[in-house]
Amino acid sequence: MGRWEPDARGRMMRAAIELFTERGYEQTTAGDIAGAAGVTERTFFRHFRDKREILFDSSDTMGRNACEAILAAPDDLAPLDTALAGMVAGGALLTGRRDYSRQRAEIIAANPALRERELLKLARLTEGVAEALRARGVPEPTASLAAHTAVSVFHVAFGRWVGDADAPDDLADCIAEAAAVLRALT
Amino acid sequence: MGRWEPDARGRMMRAAIELFTERGYEQTTAGDIAGAAGVTERTFFRHFRDKREILFDSSDTMGRNACEAILAAPDDLAPLDTALAGMVAGGALLTGRRDYSRQRAEIIAANPALRERELLKLARLTEGVAEALRARGVPEPTASLAAHTAVSVFHVAFGRWVGDADAPDDLADCIAEAAAVLRALT
DNA sequence: CTAAGCGATGACAGGCACTGACATCGCGTG
DNA sequence: CACGCGATGTCAGTGCCTGTCATCGCTTAG
């Protein structure tokens, strides 16, 4: 746990989850997390723009993965199916981390400021998906509409995956089920 | 502008818009706003939970008005129409304040933290609308779906109202136009 | 083998957002 | 007129976040 050990970022993220679970988000200072990871508070803020951001690293990588998958999808796939495929691809990086996701979701649900940040991340994800669809030639407003819909489906599916013990083990299955419910609405 | 003049809250809100427009949101401290309104920083935080909140007073009252209107709507009105009527009723308190709304929108658009707060307000509005619909007997998931749709329509219409010089002067007309576009999508 | 270069970190100072505790002011009420 | 009550002022303190500069450890050219 020395100062110059590698993976300071990973150590901080793990320490944060642990401390937030133990004493709560507001009762944990950025300095506490840094200390638990063997670095200083200054290093914390070099890796994360703000205290909340340490919980949303996976959101960013998921967004990147989703966009890549959308751009790489077959040309003849319908816009909504493309966007949903992006959600599945983005969700793949959570495979085998259901417990972690549950813990993280519990922390976020308990704090309004964190829910606010989650909304921002979802909005950014939506915008990224819409942009990727447009890059494939999907016109507006279809692109935005499909993006909104796909992200909503992901949101619902993810919520069930972490909160409902009866939900499928595979997040992709949860997404498929939510998408089926959506189509049944039409 | 003495300390014990009435309407300290209103004075602070007006001073905030002015200062934010002049030097920007981040370059204006809560103490600056309070000082311009003739009160102390402590009084600022007694009236507003945090610095951002001073820009979202109208969001809260709009939510209340919208819910009241939804609960008071005729029984035979369809869920989506009811929700949209709520949006029109909520938007009514902005009548004659288009310039103010424009100024406020510009401030929010220039600052990520403020856009984040706006997303939270929209999410809360959506939840409130959904709850009001449920209170009228609209079942899930229709209530949530109609709420999401209506708030999205409002969001788009409001954006046009403040950003597009060609948009109708009456926000209600903007909402009606956006709703028409939505129905054309189906 | 050594020294220079470079990215990551530490150390320190400081500003601003926000809070708790207590004193004070102005106003309505008995 | 005394009293209570709500709004405000005052002060001290914590935590988030940033700028600046020194330092560390690894890499690479010589």
Side-chain angles (χ1 to χ4, degrees):
Chain A
M1 290 270 286
R3 296 178 169 168
W4 302 94
E5 297 289 319
D7 196 26
R9 187 186 183 86
R11 272 180 290 146
M12 284 191 282
M13 292 194 297
R14 283 185 291 275
I17 290 276
E18 192 169 335
L19 290 174
F20 290 162
T21 302
E22 275 176 20
R23 3 172 171 155
Y25 175 79
E26 294 189 336
Q27 284 65 47
T28 306
T29 73
D32 291 339
I33 300 168
V39 295
T40 63
E41 186 186 351
R42 192 65 185 85
T43 294
F44 180 101
F45 287 109
R46 280 203 183 89
H47 281 272
F48 306 101
R49 216 173 327 112
D50 57 56
K51 185 185 166 191
R52 286 177 266 172
E53 203 67 12
I54 198 172
L55 280 173
F56 293 91
D57 192 79
S58 48
S59 298
D60 295 344
T61 57
M62 158 168 182
R64 280 191 293 274
N65 292 4
C67 289
E68 285 173 19
I70 289 169
L71 294 174
D75 281 346
D76 57 349
L77 203 60
L80 181 57
D81 291 323
T82 309
L84 286 171
M87 297 300 96
V88 171
L93 91 164
L94 292 176
T95 310
R97 304 207 294 162
R98 196 172 178 186
D99 283 333
Y100 158 82
S101 299
R102 248 193 276 268
Q103 211 168 356
R104 174 178 169 279
E106 211 164 317
I107 296 166
I108 293 173
N111 190 287
L114 293 173
R115 276 189 288 173
E116 195 172 356
R117 176 57 51 87
E118 191 174 36
L119 290 171
L120 182 65
K121 293 297 183 184
L122 287 171
R124 285 216 209 292
L125 175 60
T126 303
E127 194 34 59
V129 169
E131 192 182 326
L133 289 176
R134 284 192 297 266
R136 284 168 54 92
V138 178
E140 285 293 355
T142 307
S144 287
L145 210 55
H148 267 100
T149 308
V151 171
S152 296
V153 165
F154 173 79
H155 193 193
V156 168
F158 183 79
R160 241 195 109 216
W161 190 60
V162 297
D164 183 354
D166 295 339
D169 266 341
D170 192 338
L171 176 54
D173 293 335
C174 284
I175 295 176
E177 288 186 13
V181 170
L182 170 79
R183 291 190 215 276
L185 277 182
T186 318
Chain B
M1 289 268 286
R3 298 176 167 167
W4 301 95
E5 297 290 320
D7 196 25
R9 186 185 184 87
R11 272 181 289 147
M12 284 193 280
M13 292 194 296
R14 283 185 290 275
I17 289 277
E18 191 169 334
L19 290 173
F20 290 163
T21 302
E22 275 176 20
R23 5 171 170 155
Y25 175 79
E26 294 189 336
Q27 284 65 47
T28 307
T29 73
D32 292 339
I33 300 167
V39 294
T40 63
E41 186 186 351
R42 192 67 185 83
T43 293
F44 179 101
F45 288 109
R46 281 203 183 92
H47 281 272
F48 305 103
R49 220 174 326 110
D50 57 54
K51 186 184 166 190
R52 285 177 267 173
E53 204 67 13
I54 198 172
L55 280 172
F56 292 91
D57 192 80
S58 49
S59 298
D60 294 344
T61 57
M62 156 168 184
R64 279 191 295 273
N65 291 6
C67 289
E68 284 173 21
I70 289 170
L71 294 175
D75 281 346
D76 57 349
L77 203 59
L80 182 57
D81 291 322
T82 309
L84 286 172
M87 297 300 97
V88 171
L93 91 165
L94 292 175
T95 310
R97 303 207 295 163
R98 196 173 179 184
D99 282 333
Y100 159 82
S101 299
R102 247 193 277 268
Q103 211 169 355
R104 174 178 170 279
E106 210 164 317
I107 296 166
I108 292 173
N111 190 286
L114 292 174
R115 276 187 290 172
E116 196 172 356
R117 177 56 53 87
E118 191 174 36
L119 290 172
L120 181 66
K121 293 298 183 185
L122 287 171
R124 285 216 209 292
L125 174 61
T126 303
E127 194 36 57
V129 169
E131 192 182 325
L133 289 176
R134 283 193 296 267
R136 283 169 54 90
V138 178
E140 285 294 355
T142 308
S144 288
L145 210 55
H148 267 100
T149 308
V151 171
S152 296
V153 164
F154 172 79
H155 194 194
V156 167
F158 183 78
R160 241 194 109 216
W161 189 60
V162 297
D164 183 354
D166 295 338
D169 265 341
D170 192 338
L171 175 55
D173 293 335
C174 283
I175 294 175
E177 288 187 12
V181 171
L182 170 80
R183 292 190 214 274
L185 278 181
T186 317

